[in-house]
Amino acid sequence: MVIVSRLFPVFVVFVTSLFVTGVAQAEVKVLTSIKPLQLIAAAVQDGVAVPEVLLPPGASPHNYALRPSDVRRVQSVDLLYWIGPDMETFLPRVLKGRTATTVAVQDLAGMKLRRFGEDAHSHADDADEHDHDHRPGSVDAHLWLSTVNARVIAARMAADLAAADPTNAARYQSNAKAFDERLDALDARLKKRLAVVEGKPYFVFHEAFDYFEDAYGLKHAGVFSVAAEVQPGAQHVAAMRTRLQEVGKTCVFSEPPLRPRLAETLVAGLPVKLAELDALGGYTPATAQGYEQVLENLGNNLAGCLESL
């Protein structure tokens, strides 16, 4: 009985220490709306945890249909990051029920935002060429394609994670600093890679790349945006083919996973190559270097097609 009575306090201390350690090491659950934000979070959380993403690969952030399980995830995570109402139009109604930290990154201080139709190459005055999903004057929500914005997002994520998980605060801040330094190197590589195709005309189906183009001295010559559910008329197709004929050798870029039905009709018999630019990087692994991989792939695919003409 004496031995038991002496061991009991030791047992209590041991169990208590396990409980305290478990609490201290409880994983902070991070959920992002789209893959690019998950990749930025993965860089900040590297070595601690892997963030989750709401939208599966190939899903449209403009009109995704949430499942009941998605709603439960949105409500249960500790930190949630999304672009904002100009991108994920399906989210505001669900987010009203959240009490934990929720960040619309387009509202962060320091973000450099663009608006559709703010320069000539957006073709805001041409009804046939303008991207009808993006109204002139509305915020261009493809903001993750700017490394300036990615740095701002990473810094906010690091601060939020450090507050929620003080044990790993130094790691989050160190990861954010390393991410920032890697983006310096990425910018230098992309500027060098894309300098060789600066000024070469190309066309896109979706007006999603203005941030990327602005950063690296590029401009698309036209936007062939047609909603997936709408079949364009013959007059519209003829006008777009005329533009392609005027330019001559060029590339027309669509976005995976689906190539618009219009694509083959547009380029038939013309010296035009069809290629893809993946702004979302839907299948990119959630690693510390994933975000850089998405932008590097954009640069290589764009330059590669134009160089091959």
Side-chain angles (χ1 to χ4, degrees), residues 73-126:
R73 291 172 71 198
V74 166
Q75 298 298 340
S76 66
V77 296
D78 303 300
L79 300 172
L80 187 146
Y81 299 90
W82 62 309
I83 299 296
D86 291 285
M87 175 63 74
E88 305 95 330
T89 56
F90 61 90
L91 264 182
R93 179 178 58 83
V94 179
L95 292 177
K96 288 181 179 179
R98 265 186 62 82
T99 56
T101 300
T102 302
V103 179
V105 300
Q106 73 176 49
D107 296 331
L108 294 178
M111 295 293 285
K112 304 299 182 183
L113 300 181
R114 297 178 58 86
R115 293 184 179 274
F116 290 110
E118 69 181 16
D119 56 32
H121 87 273
S122 292
H123 304 292
D125 297 326
D126 191 327

Side-chain angles (χ1 to χ4, degrees), residues 34-56:
I34 59 175
K35 172 62 75 168
L37 293 180
Q38 183 197 27
L39 299 178
I40 297 173
V44 176
Q45 288 189 281
D46 184 42
V48 180
V50 178
E52 297 181 7
V53 63
L54 185 62
L55 269 64

Side-chain angles (χ1 to χ4, degrees), residues 181-265:
E181 292 171 351
R182 292 199 307 273
L183 291 189
D184 286 338
L186 174 67
D187 277 334
R189 292 196 304 273
L190 286 172
K191 286 175 182 177
K192 181 178 180 180
R193 179 75 179 97
L194 294 167
V196 297
V197 297
E198 186 174 350
K200 287 192 174 184
Y202 60 92
F203 295 78
V204 294
F205 271 95
H206 179 211
E207 195 166 10
F209 305 99
D210 286 14
Y211 286 96
F212 187 82
E213 293 170 339
D214 184 59
Y216 303 111
L218 304 170
K219 285 188 177 182
H220 56 262
V223 181
F224 298 156
S225 178
V226 180
E229 67 277 8
V230 178
Q231 184 64 29
Q235 185 176 357
H236 185 75
V237 175
M240 289 190 286
R241 275 186 61 84
T242 298
R243 288 292 307 278
L244 290 173
Q245 289 169 334
E246 292 170 351
V247 169
K249 290 184 178 180
T250 188
C251 292
V252 175
F253 295 99
S254 60
E255 293 177 69
L258 298 177
R259 176 171 288 175
R261 292 172 292 174
L262 172 64
E264 301 295 341
T265 303

